[in-house]
Amino acid sequence: MFSALTRSFKNERSWGSIQSNLIAGLTVGVIALPLSMALAIAIGVPPQHGLYTAIVAGIITSLTGGSKVNISGPTAAFVVVLLPIVHSYGLGGLLVSGFMAGIILVLMGSTKLGRLIEIVPYPVTVGFTAGIGVVIATLQIKDFLGLQLDSLEGHYLHKLAQIGQALPSVHWQEALIGGITLAVLIVWPKLKSKIPGHLVALFVGAISAWLLSQFTAAFSVETVGTRFHYVIDGQMGFGIPPILPAFNWPWHLPAADGQPIGISFDLVHELLSAAFTIAVLGALESLLCAVVADGMSGKKHNPNDELIGQGIGNMIAPLFGGIPATAAIARTTANVKAGGSSPLASVVHGLFILVSILSLAPLLAYIPMASMAALLLMVAWNMSEARHFIRIVRIAPRDDIITLLTCFALTVLFDMTIAVAVGMCLAVMFFVRKSMRTAEAKPLLFEHDHIENLTKEISIYDINGPLFFGSAQKALNNLMYITPEVKVVILDMTEVSMIDMSAIVAMESIAKNLSDHQVGLIINNLQPRMILKLRRAGIRTKEGRVAFSRKIEDAVEKAKGMLLHTNT
């Protein structure tokens, strides 16, 4: 780690470049500080665990990953995945599943799966991220309005019903502070100030709540300090403990019942599905973030190294109380815009948060929970990518619109894992259907200028498109039925780009059918690698029966030779 950090310093060309990364790291640290707290609260764990994640995972992944400018930490995309884990298995189960996800990410990177993750269709990505945004926004209504709800349980529609039933219990003080914070978050970016709007909004929300409580005795709102407590050396404190992240095995932390969760094969088996979901979502978010960062910074990331780095970060972070992490697009974008160009910026960002814990913990306790909810409402809105969503609905082909809306609905109503799986299946099905439409075998009834005296005994078929399980049978079906006068069939396969096992089996059937009817077969201009596949399957050159050619003129000459061989 330290050698990587040393290399990052050596790679800087000037003190000015080092300064730029220092400033970028401080800028991102200011943004990440409240966001990390808010996201930890959103999944149901104390806010310091979000800060520990930004510190440990942020530094580790930047030094071991494949992108020089990615900033990692807790992200909004994980909220809908991690919240059910916390409810069922507690903090201990969450950290164990995060550790397992880290192992899976390392395996994915080591087996070179980084490029495969990047092929997820755009409508699928926008669909589930927009759905996650809607779910996050819904979950924040409780704290934003100060509703009298112990917790939100059940599926999405049930949660909506719970919120609707609790609306008469709106706490106007919480709603006022939440509204003030949200207004600042909306207005501040229009002022083009370099000061992050998150920081200003939370400061205004906290100051407003404090001032109103001083002038109005009845005014009170819930804060980080009133909701969260900690105990150090037998002394209870409020808010965030002002101490360094401490090493602790994840399985020593409490389960949902408050007892240490322990470690067993049964627990690993139960958490495996959640760990896989965390790993896949983390991979998608990190690589998408890296692509965006490449476009902004002009650098090039290594996707497999990035997965390995994210895996290492997610294996080490739980040992210090960190929740699952991935690269964050908003923080990475802020890093690049502020001049960040190396892992040094992410290291500074992590150290800034660490210093803030040690020095600002008492002040952070005054942040109102309604302000945190307002911050997450804005995060949810940005995450929903409403403009891109609407644009796809307006201009995209029907198949992409169906995929988008399906992923969105399944994410909101059921589960992100189901949404992505179904979305990918839909995308594959629609792709296969399109490929089936393009793949065809049509007879060419013509007299070429360079092909003379083409008799009715020779039939030429032009095969187009990829031949695979969805298109092979459709494209080659016509070749099973030929007229009695045809003695030689030429398959012009110049435009065939691929052949899979289904197509090979179809070709075997065609070759056997033609041979049974004493009809010759000539395969023209098929790529050598595909000819090798056919030969391995037994479709080889046989005098008077099967031949291969490189040009259509040669194919016709060989066909005429087959006619002479047949007639004699």
Side-chain angles (χ1 to χ4, degrees), residues 272-294:
L272 186 58
S273 176
F276 184 76
T277 301
I278 294 170
V280 172
L281 180 57
L284 286 171
E285 287 286 306
S286 295
L287 295 181
L288 177 61
C289 180
V291 171
V292 173
D294 286 349

Side-chain angles (χ1 to χ4, degrees), residues 215-522:
F215 291 101
T216 306
F219 190 94
S220 66
V221 295
E222 189 175 23
T223 65
V224 172
T226 60
R227 177 175 293 188
F228 298 100
H229 309 86
Y230 60 88
V231 177
I232 300 178
D233 297 330
Q235 298 294 320
M236 178 176 288
F238 302 94
I240 297 171
I243 57 175
L244 296 173
F247 178 88
N248 196 1
W249 294 112
W251 41 88
H252 291 168
L253 294 171
D257 60 4
Q259 299 299 316
I261 192 167
I263 188 72
S264 65
F265 178 80
D266 289 339
L267 177 65
V268 172
H269 181 265
E270 290 177 19
L271 292 176
L272 186 58
S273 176
F276 184 76
T277 301
I278 294 170
V280 172
L281 180 57
L284 286 171
E285 287 286 306
S286 295
L287 295 181
L288 177 61
C289 180
V291 171
V292 173
D294 286 349
M296 296 180 62
S297 64
K299 299 181 181 295
K300 184 67 176 177
H301 77 284
N302 184 313
N304 296 312
D305 286 350
E306 179 64 13
L307 292 184
I308 293 174
Q310 292 293 335
I312 294 173
N314 277 284
M315 291 173 63
I316 296 178
L319 304 180
F320 295 89
I323 61 179
T326 184
I329 294 179
R331 276 160 269 176
T332 300
T333 301
N335 179 41
V336 175
K337 289 182 177 179
S341 59
S342 79
L344 175 60
S346 186
V347 173
V348 172
H349 136 272
L351 295 177
F352 172 83
I353 295 176
L354 179 61
V355 172
S356 298
I357 291 177
L358 299 177
S359 58
L360 300 177
L363 295 177
L364 296 175
Y366 287 99
I367 299 177
M369 295 304 301
S371 294
M372 285 294 196
L375 175 59
L376 287 175
L377 283 174
M378 183 56 66
V379 170
W381 169 256
N382 292 332
M383 187 177 184
S384 68
E385 299 189 67
R387 293 182 180 178
H388 295 291
F389 191 98
I390 295 172
R391 185 169 184 267
I392 293 176
V393 173
R394 289 179 55 193
I395 68 172
R398 185 186 64 176
D399 291 350
D400 288 335
I401 295 174
I402 293 173
T403 302
L404 171 75
L405 297 178
T406 301
C407 284
F408 174 77
L410 291 176
T411 301
V412 173
L413 299 176
F414 296 100
D415 181 75
M416 191 214 73
T417 307
I418 296 175
V420 173
V422 173
M424 290 296 294
C425 289
L426 280 176
V428 170
M429 290 171 57
F430 289 142
F431 172 77
V432 170
R433 188 175 66 178
K434 291 176 184 177
S435 299
M436 289 176 62
R437 291 173 179 172
T438 59
E440 59 178 349
K442 56 182 180 180
L444 300 182
L445 305 175
F446 55 78
E447 284 282 343
H448 274 302
D449 292 338
H450 50 280
I451 300 177
E452 298 178 355
N453 302 321
L454 191 62
T455 67
K456 292 183 178 180
E457 295 177 308
I458 300 175
S459 182
I460 302 177
Y461 287 84
D462 183 23
I463 313 295
N464 295 310
L467 299 181
F468 60 100
F469 64 92
S471 63
Q473 195 63 41
K474 171 183 176 293
L476 302 176
N477 191 54
N478 292 338
L479 301 177
M480 301 298 291
Y481 310 99
I482 57 174
T483 56
E485 65 266 20
V486 174
K487 300 301 180 184
V488 180
V489 171
I490 299 175
L491 302 183
D492 186 5
M493 307 187 76
T494 302
E495 298 180 12
V496 174
S497 56
M498 68 163 286
I499 290 180
D500 72 350
M501 192 61 207
S502 298
I504 292 174
V505 171
M507 289 289 293
E508 286 181 307
S509 299
I510 290 169
K512 183 178 183 304
N513 180 61
L514 295 177
S515 178
D516 291 345
H517 290 82
Q518 305 298 313
V519 178
L521 172 64
I522 300 175

